[in-house]
Amino acid sequence: MVSDPGEDGRDAAPLGPGSAREWCAVAVARLGRDQPEAALEAARLAVESDPHAQDGAGWGYRLASLAFERLGRDAEAVAAAEEAVRLTPGSWAARLRLGAALRRVPGRWKEAWSQAGRAARYAPQEPDPHVLVGDLRLLRGEHRHARAAYDRALRRVQDHPGARVNLGLTFLRWERSRGHHDPAWPVDPRETGRARRALESWSRQVRVLLAVALLAVGVAAFGYGLTTEAVIGGAVAPAAALVITLRQAHRVRLWPYVPGMLARDAWLSMSVAITLMAVAAYVAAVATLPRAVQDFPLTGLPDPAALPALARSPWAGLAGLVLLNGLAVLILRTLAEAWRGRPVRALTEFAAAGDDRTAAHDIDVTLWLVAVRAWSVLVLVVTGALLLDDSRWALTALAVPPALGWAYGRVRGRAPADRWLTAVVSLIVLASVALVVAAAVRPLGLPDRFGRWSWQAAIGVLVTVVAAYVIRSARAWWRGAPGPWRGSLVMYEGSGRRLPGDARAPVELSGEVRRALAYGRGVVLAYSDPTGPRALAVGSVGPVGPGGELRLIAAEDAWEATERDPRVAVFVADPTDRRFWAEVRGIAVGDAEADVLRVTPEHVVVGDYPGRHQGRVRPGDGRPAR
């Protein structure tokens, strides 16, 4: 016998050769204590203890796959899971384990999707298959379908942490860091990643080159009057940009996938488009440079009125596009990511996950997004009030603190772990108060200097918020840690304190049930077809172990019906005990090579035929696979 784990967290020494199920129980305990190497050894002993796969070898392979996955050995995790499916093709847990392992292997998303679909079809009452379906949908950015899958899981188990956290990500319209790559593509994401980096490098290098070149051209033409030389020198930059383009194009080896990458990754598309616009703007700026110098001469002692006129000229617009496109894109991206999705609804789901570290991390990141939203609203209020020359518009800032309080209320008063976030939110509230005071100065008849001080204070605080955000981002980037941006959101991939569905024990058949199946002649298979429920006499083939599957000889009608709905029930009576009967509910999968239906037990009920008294179900002889 294999002893139970000790109280100190270590397994006591085995007292003798244990059964496969006992070793599997040890492996589960070790996985629960995050000891994958020790769990892998126990799973190996479980498989070796059941050479004929009659008493837990399939379970052992599932646990070995889970241990391999936690050790980062994905190829071995897939191999072990495939063996578990081969031994028990009707096991939803085996299908779930294989789907989860395949999800981590590049280019095998479609196979993972197929296995997850089978697991959900075999066990629609279980939450974990629906969570895996949702995860696979989420990885492709199919947020609406992912949300539906997580809702199905939560209808079965309301406190499933993975479903809660990932459901919150769907409300934020989360995309993984490799958003350019479709997991369904039969190509390694590292290859598409290299192509993306080549496109990004091309965009960055060309834009920097053109900005430096135009700055030098402008200084030479406007500062020193070397217009002709500046135009000639400026013509060299497009040639250098062409060299960069050819070099980076050589690094892109997956050109057929580039259109799909651009379609999936909006920011990559914008980067490419901005680069092309910058090239066109640079060429136009250099071509119109002589006319600009003639209209706005700045050499010698320039006319002070010439600078504002130059700033309003078309040439200045072209130069601004070349010189400032990077900053403009950065600001646009920060604001667009903050305003994407429904963060308050996401915070509700994260908070419902309980004291989970992934949920707590995503809460902090989401609150950063809320803070950026609040800051942008205040900037809009300030801009509107200044443009309209009416300080009363600043009264709309009064709505910002309650909105922040509403968002924080979704997380049930949980204080953020990020002190920078707390400081930034406090500054935003302070800026809101300053703007309200500035708007109330005239209606209350206060001196104008209070209004000026309030405006200056509000603008100064908003600038301080930007500085704090930049410093916090720089610290995160320098340390390689998650920052206050959308890309720091993480997907939940564990099971929390729950035992993962793919690690659960299979149903164990009692000796009475096995004897009835081995010797009974009145075996009946119940299934559903388009006409309704049906029952068909079948034959049982071969011995049945404690955890083994049933092998039945059935007519063609039963095969066709189980392809539509694999959930069946097998009814048998024991010829040696005429009152005993057993019902085995499970999943039937056809084995064309052996010409049998293989039924994996999921639930067992036994009882006695009624005699003088009403028959009753015997407690304890069978248990559902949960």
Side-chain angles (χ1 to χ4, degrees):
M1 289 286 293
V2 177
S3 62
D4 291 333
E7 294 182 359
D8 60 354
R10 294 175 296 179
D11 298 313
L15 302 179
S19 70
R21 283 179 172 267
E22 290 169 339
W23 279 117
C24 286
V26 172
V28 169
R30 291 172 176 175
L31 286 171
R33 296 194 300 272
D34 196 21
Q35 299 174 349
E37 292 184 355
L40 181 61
E41 176 63 18
R44 182 186 64 80
L45 292 173
V47 172
E48 292 178 352
S49 301
D50 186 20
H52 301 294
Q54 294 292 318
D55 188 21
W59 187 16
Y61 277 113
R62 280 193 276 126
L63 296 174
S65 173
L66 189 57
F68 278 131
E69 182 180 283
R70 294 189 180 181
L71 291 171
R73 297 157 64 176
D74 294 337
E76 293 168 283
V78 170
E82 288 175 337
E83 185 63 18
V85 169
R86 186 189 68 82
L87 293 176
T88 54
S91 168
W92 68 268
R95 299 286 183 176
L96 178 68
R97 175 87 293 274
L98 180 56
L102 288 170
R103 182 184 67 175
R104 304 170 66 90
V105 179
R108 304 192 70 175
W109 183 93
K110 290 184 178 179
E111 297 174 68
W113 173 256
S114 174
Q115 297 299 329
R118 286 200 176 198
R121 185 174 172 224
Y122 291 174
Q125 77 283 359
E126 294 289 339
D128 290 331
H130 298 290
V131 172
L132 180 57
V133 169
D135 290 349
L136 292 171
R137 291 283 198 180
L138 184 59
L139 289 174
R140 294 197 69 192
E142 299 174 352
H143 301 104
R144 183 172 59 85
H145 295 294
R147 191 177 305 148
Y150 294 135
D151 285 337
R152 288 194 296 271
L154 291 172
R155 283 197 294 269
R156 289 151 177 83
V157 177
Q158 293 186 358
D159 61 348
H160 195 294
R164 285 291 180 191
V165 173
N166 294 343
L167 177 59
L169 293 179
T170 66
F171 286 110
L172 287 172
R173 302 190 64 79
W174 173 84
E175 291 180 350
R176 59 201 182 116
S177 58
R178 294 196 298 263
H180 65 280
H181 180 84
D182 189 339
W185 287 345
V187 63
D188 194 326
R190 289 173 294 186
E191 294 296 328
T192 57
R194 293 189 188 99
R196 188 185 193 280
R197 287 192 295 273
L199 292 172
E200 288 180 328
S201 298
W202 165 78
S203 173
R204 182 171 56 252
Q205 292 172 8
V206 168
R207 287 187 287 126
V208 170
L209 170 67
L210 296 180
V212 172
L214 186 60
L215 187 62
V217 165
V219 170
F222 289 101
Y224 297 96
L226 303 175
T227 305
T228 303
E229 292 82 354
V231 172
I232 295 174
V236 176
L242 178 60
V243 174
I244 294 174
T245 301
L246 295 176
R247 184 178 62 189
Q248 296 296 344
H250 181 70
R251 294 176 55 193
V252 180
R253 304 183 182 277
L254 298 173
W255 281 107
Y257 290 93
V258 169
M261 292 167 56
L262 295 175
R264 292 183 60 83
D265 193 334
W267 297 113
L268 180 61
S269 301
M270 178 176 290
S271 178
V272 171
I274 287 291
T275 303
L276 298 177
M277 292 171 61
V279 172
Y282 177 86
V283 172
V286 172
T288 58
L289 181 61
R291 178 63 180 272
V293 173
Q294 181 181 354
D295 294 341
F296 309 101
L298 301 180
T299 55
L301 295 176
D303 183 3
L307 288 176
L310 176 61
R312 293 191 297 268
S313 67
W315 192 91
L318 296 173
L321 179 57
V322 176
L323 297 174
L324 302 178
N325 61 78
L327 179 61
V329 169
L330 179 61
I331 295 174
L332 177 62
R333 180 167 186 171
T334 301
L335 294 177
E337 289 186 345
W339 282 95
R340 187 181 184 191
R342 299 160 58 187
V344 176
R345 186 70 177 84
L347 287 171
T348 303
E349 297 300 335
F350 295 152
D355 297 330
D356 180 79
R357 285 195 293 180
T358 303
H361 169 84
D362 285 347
I363 284 174
D364 278 6
V365 176
T366 306
L367 288 175
W368 270 110
L369 300 179
V370 172
V372 174
R373 283 192 180 191
W375 176 87
S376 63
V377 168
L378 294 182
V379 171
L380 185 62
V381 168
V382 171
T383 304
L386 293 177
L387 291 177
L388 298 173
D389 194 21
D390 188 350
S391 62
R392 291 175 298 179
W393 284 97
L395 284 174
T396 56
L398 191 63
V400 171
L404 289 172
W406 181 42
Y408 271 78
R410 299 301 92 189
V411 298
R412 301 170 186 173
R414 180 185 301 178
D418 193 336
R419 292 176 295 178
W420 286 85
L421 174 60
T422 303
V424 164
V425 171
S426 301
L427 289 173
I428 291 174
V429 172
L430 180 61
S432 302
V433 173
L435 287 173
V436 172
V437 172
V441 166
R442 289 186 180 179
L444 296 178
L446 299 175
D448 290 343
R449 63 177 180 274
F450 288 109
R452 290 195 300 271
W453 292 345
S454 298
W455 277 109
Q456 293 171 359
I459 295 174
V461 171
L462 291 176
V463 172
T464 304
V465 169
V466 175
Y469 183 86
V470 171
I471 294 172
R472 173 67 176 84
S473 301
R475 291 178 74 245
W477 173 80
W478 181 258
R479 297 178 178 181
W485 48 73
R486 173 181 288 270
S488 297
L489 292 168
V490 293
M491 187 177 176
Y492 192 100
E493 296 185 359
S495 59
R497 299 176 181 176
R498 297 177 59 257
L499 181 67
D502 47 12
R504 212 167 298 172
V507 168
E508 183 175 8
L509 301 181
S510 67
E512 290 178 305
V513 175
R514 284 184 284 136
R515 182 173 64 249
L517 290 167
Y519 298 106
R521 292 294 178 266
V523 181
V524 177
L525 175 68
Y527 58 93
S528 297
D529 68 5
T531 64
R534 290 196 58 187
L536 182 70
V538 296
S540 178
V541 179
V544 180
E549 63 185 2
L550 315 182
R551 294 174 178 254
L552 307 176
I553 300 175
E556 185 67 25
D557 291 348
W559 280 65
E560 294 176 357
T562 55
E563 289 179 359
R564 289 188 297 268
D565 186 354
R567 293 172 294 177
V568 300
V570 178
F571 185 88
V572 65
D574 188 348
T576 62
D577 183 356
R578 296 186 177 182
R579 296 191 59 192
F580 176 82
W581 60 264
E583 179 189 4
V584 180
R585 303 170 193 168
I587 304 299
V589 177
D591 186 341
E593 184 176 350
D595 199 23
V596 295
L597 284 178
R598 301 172 64 176
V599 180
T600 301
E602 296 291 341
H603 190 88
V604 182
V605 179
V606 299
D608 292 332
Y609 282 106
R612 294 179 178 272
H613 305 285
Q614 179 68 33
R616 63 186 180 88
V617 175
R618 295 183 182 178
D621 284 345
R623 67 176 188 274
R626 295 192 61 83

